[in-house]
mmCIF file with all atom_site columns, all heavy atoms in Angstrom:
data_model
loop_
_atom_site.group_PDB
_atom_site.id
_atom_site.type_symbol
_atom_site.label_atom_id
_atom_site.label_alt_id
_atom_site.label_comp_id
_atom_site.label_asym_id
_atom_site.label_entity_id
_atom_site.label_seq_id
_atom_site.pdbx_PDB_ins_code
_atom_site.Cartn_x
_atom_site.Cartn_y
_atom_site.Cartn_z
_atom_site.occupancy
_atom_site.B_iso_or_equiv
_atom_site.pdbx_formal_charge
_atom_site.auth_seq_id
_atom_site.auth_comp_id
_atom_site.auth_asym_id
_atom_site.auth_atom_id
_atom_site.pdbx_PDB_model_num
ATOM 1  N N   . MET A 1 402 ? 152.919 110.107 44.502 1.00 89.00 ? 402 MET A N   1
ATOM 2  C CA  . MET A 1 402 ? 153.169 111.467 44.978 1.00 89.00 ? 402 MET A CA  1
ATOM 3  C C   . MET A 1 402 ? 151.864 112.258 45.044 1.00 89.00 ? 402 MET A C   1
ATOM 4  O O   . MET A 1 402 ? 151.650 113.043 45.972 1.00 89.00 ? 402 MET A O   1
ATOM 5  C CB  . MET A 1 402 ? 154.178 112.166 44.069 1.00 89.00 ? 402 MET A CB  1
ATOM 6  C CG  . MET A 1 402 ? 155.582 111.591 44.130 1.00 89.00 ? 402 MET A CG  1
ATOM 7  S SD  . MET A 1 402 ? 156.687 112.361 42.933 1.00 89.00 ? 402 MET A SD  1
ATOM 8  C CE  . MET A 1 402 ? 156.587 114.076 43.443 1.00 89.00 ? 402 MET A CE  1
ATOM 9  N N   . GLU A 1 403 ? 150.989 112.063 44.064 1.00 90.00 ? 403 GLU A N   1
ATOM 10 C CA  . GLU A 1 403 ? 149.722 112.791 44.045 1.00 90.00 ? 403 GLU A CA  1
ATOM 11 C C   . GLU A 1 403 ? 148.817 112.357 45.193 1.00 90.00 ? 403 GLU A C   1
ATOM 12 O O   . GLU A 1 403 ? 148.221 113.188 45.886 1.00 90.00 ? 403 GLU A O   1
ATOM 13 C CB  . GLU A 1 403 ? 149.020 112.554 42.707 1.00 90.00 ? 403 GLU A CB  1
ATOM 14 C CG  . GLU A 1 403 ? 147.688 113.253 42.559 1.00 90.00 ? 403 GLU A CG  1
ATOM 15 C CD  . GLU A 1 403 ? 147.824 114.754 42.395 1.00 90.00 ? 403 GLU A CD  1
ATOM 16 O OE1 . GLU A 1 403 ? 148.911 115.203 42.014 1.00 90.00 ? 403 GLU A OE1 1
ATOM 17 O OE2 . GLU A 1 403 ? 146.846 115.462 42.668 1.00 90.00 ? 403 GLU A OE2 1
ATOM 18 N N   . VAL A 1 404 ? 148.741 111.047 45.426 1.00 90.00 ? 404 VAL A N   1
ATOM 19 C CA  . VAL A 1 404 ? 147.884 110.543 46.498 1.00 90.00 ? 404 VAL A CA  1
ATOM 20 C C   . VAL A 1 404 ? 148.399 110.992 47.864 1.00 90.00 ? 404 VAL A C   1
ATOM 21 O O   . VAL A 1 404 ? 147.624 111.396 48.736 1.00 90.00 ? 404 VAL A O   1
ATOM 22 C CB  . VAL A 1 404 ? 147.795 108.998 46.436 1.00 90.00 ? 404 VAL A CB  1
ATOM 23 C CG1 . VAL A 1 404 ? 147.067 108.452 47.657 1.00 90.00 ? 404 VAL A CG1 1
ATOM 24 C CG2 . VAL A 1 404 ? 147.086 108.563 45.159 1.00 90.00 ? 404 VAL A CG2 1
ATOM 25 N N   . MET A 1 405 ? 149.711 110.937 48.043 1.00 91.00 ? 405 MET A N   1
ATOM 26 C CA  . MET A 1 405 ? 150.290 111.258 49.345 1.00 91.00 ? 405 MET A CA  1
ATOM 27 C C   . MET A 1 405 ? 150.478 112.756 49.565 1.00 91.00 ? 405 MET A C   1
ATOM 28 O O   . MET A 1 405 ? 150.741 113.188 50.683 1.00 91.00 ? 405 MET A O   1
ATOM 29 C CB  . MET A 1 405 ? 151.639 110.545 49.500 1.00 91.00 ? 405 MET A CB  1
ATOM 30 C CG  . MET A 1 405 ? 151.574 109.026 49.371 1.00 91.00 ? 405 MET A CG  1
ATOM 31 S SD  . MET A 1 405 ? 150.464 108.264 50.567 1.00 91.00 ? 405 MET A SD  1
ATOM 32 C CE  . MET A 1 405 ? 151.313 108.634 52.087 1.00 91.00 ? 405 MET A CE  1
ATOM 33 N N   . GLY A 1 406 ? 150.380 113.552 48.513 1.00 90.00 ? 406 GLY A N   1
ATOM 34 C CA  . GLY A 1 406 ? 150.531 114.993 48.668 1.00 90.00 ? 406 GLY A CA  1
ATOM 35 C C   . GLY A 1 406 ? 151.966 115.444 48.775 1.00 90.00 ? 406 GLY A C   1
ATOM 36 O O   . GLY A 1 406 ? 152.284 116.382 49.519 1.00 90.00 ? 406 GLY A O   1
ATOM 37 N N   . TRP A 1 407 ? 152.868 114.812 48.008 1.00 88.00 ? 407 TRP A N   1
ATOM 38 C CA  . TRP A 1 407 ? 154.284 115.195 48.013 1.00 88.00 ? 407 TRP A CA  1
ATOM 39 C C   . TRP A 1 407 ? 154.571 116.077 46.818 1.00 88.00 ? 407 TRP A C   1
ATOM 40 O O   . TRP A 1 407 ? 154.084 115.839 45.713 1.00 88.00 ? 407 TRP A O   1
ATOM 41 C CB  . TRP A 1 407 ? 155.183 113.962 47.939 1.00 88.00 ? 407 TRP A CB  1
ATOM 42 C CG  . TRP A 1 407 ? 155.047 113.032 49.103 1.00 88.00 ? 407 TRP A CG  1
ATOM 43 C CD1 . TRP A 1 407 ? 154.763 113.368 50.382 1.00 88.00 ? 407 TRP A CD1 1
ATOM 44 C CD2 . TRP A 1 407 ? 155.185 111.612 49.084 1.00 88.00 ? 407 TRP A CD2 1
ATOM 45 N NE1 . TRP A 1 407 ? 154.717 112.249 51.178 1.00 88.00 ? 407 TRP A NE1 1
ATOM 46 C CE2 . TRP A 1 407 ? 154.979 111.145 50.407 1.00 88.00 ? 407 TRP A CE2 1
ATOM 47 C CE3 . TRP A 1 407 ? 155.472 110.677 48.099 1.00 88.00 ? 407 TRP A CE3 1
ATOM 48 C CZ2 . TRP A 1 407 ? 155.040 109.815 50.755 1.00 88.00 ? 407 TRP A CZ2 1
ATOM 49 C CZ3 . TRP A 1 407 ? 155.536 109.341 48.438 1.00 88.00 ? 407 TRP A CZ3 1
ATOM 50 C CH2 . TRP A 1 407 ? 155.330 108.912 49.748 1.00 88.00 ? 407 TRP A CH2 1
ATOM 51 N N   . GLY A 1 408 ? 155.416 117.078 47.027 1.00 84.00 ? 408 GLY A N   1
ATOM 52 C CA  . GLY A 1 408 ? 155.843 117.929 45.924 1.00 84.00 ? 408 GLY A CA  1
ATOM 53 C C   . GLY A 1 408 ? 157.210 117.601 45.410 1.00 84.00 ? 408 GLY A C   1
ATOM 54 O O   . GLY A 1 408 ? 157.652 118.164 44.401 1.00 84.00 ? 408 GLY A O   1
ATOM 55 N N   . ASP A 1 409 ? 157.926 116.679 46.068 1.00 83.00 ? 409 ASP A N   1
ATOM 56 C CA  . ASP A 1 409 ? 159.291 116.335 45.693 1.00 83.00 ? 409 ASP A CA  1
ATOM 57 C C   . ASP A 1 409 ? 159.453 114.828 45.764 1.00 83.00 ? 409 ASP A C   1
ATOM 58 O O   . ASP A 1 409 ? 159.064 114.195 46.753 1.00 83.00 ? 409 ASP A O   1
ATOM 59 C CB  . ASP A 1 409 ? 160.291 117.012 46.640 1.00 83.00 ? 409 ASP A CB  1
ATOM 60 C CG  . ASP A 1 409 ? 161.722 116.951 46.128 1.00 83.00 ? 409 ASP A CG  1
ATOM 61 O OD1 . ASP A 1 409 ? 162.016 116.058 45.316 1.00 83.00 ? 409 ASP A OD1 1
ATOM 62 O OD2 . ASP A 1 409 ? 162.538 117.796 46.541 1.00 83.00 ? 409 ASP A OD2 1
ATOM 63 N N   . ALA A 1 410 ? 160.024 114.238 44.703 1.00 81.00 ? 410 ALA A N   1
ATOM 64 C CA  . ALA A 1 410 ? 160.163 112.784 44.663 1.00 81.00 ? 410 ALA A CA  1
ATOM 65 C C   . ALA A 1 410 ? 161.088 112.261 45.753 1.00 81.00 ? 410 ALA A C   1
ATOM 66 O O   . ALA A 1 410 ? 160.977 111.094 46.156 1.00 81.00 ? 410 ALA A O   1
ATOM 67 C CB  . ALA A 1 410 ? 160.687 112.348 43.290 1.00 81.00 ? 410 ALA A CB  1
ATOM 68 N N   . SER A 1 411 ? 162.018 113.106 46.238 1.00 80.00 ? 411 SER A N   1
ATOM 69 C CA  . SER A 1 411 ? 162.952 112.632 47.263 1.00 80.00 ? 411 SER A CA  1
ATOM 70 C C   . SER A 1 411 ? 162.235 112.294 48.571 1.00 80.00 ? 411 SER A C   1
ATOM 71 O O   . SER A 1 411 ? 162.751 111.508 49.369 1.00 80.00 ? 411 SER A O   1
ATOM 72 C CB  . SER A 1 411 ? 164.038 113.690 47.516 1.00 80.00 ? 411 SER A CB  1
ATOM 73 O OG  . SER A 1 411 ? 163.453 114.887 48.011 1.00 80.00 ? 411 SER A OG  1
ATOM 74 N N   . VAL A 1 412 ? 161.055 112.867 48.794 1.00 84.00 ? 412 VAL A N   1
ATOM 75 C CA  . VAL A 1 412 ? 160.306 112.559 50.009 1.00 84.00 ? 412 VAL A CA  1
ATOM 76 C C   . VAL A 1 412 ? 159.868 111.098 50.011 1.00 84.00 ? 412 VAL A C   1
ATOM 77 O O   . VAL A 1 412 ? 159.776 110.458 51.068 1.00 84.00 ? 412 VAL A O   1
ATOM 78 C CB  . VAL A 1 412 ? 159.081 113.491 50.135 1.00 84.00 ? 412 VAL A CB  1
ATOM 79 C CG1 . VAL A 1 412 ? 158.289 113.191 51.396 1.00 84.00 ? 412 VAL A CG1 1
ATOM 80 C CG2 . VAL A 1 412 ? 159.527 114.945 50.132 1.00 84.00 ? 412 VAL A CG2 1
#
Side-chain angles (χ1 to χ4, degrees):
M402 292 175 59
E403 180 72 21
V404 172
M405 302 302 294
W407 298 328
D409 193 337
S411 62
V412 180

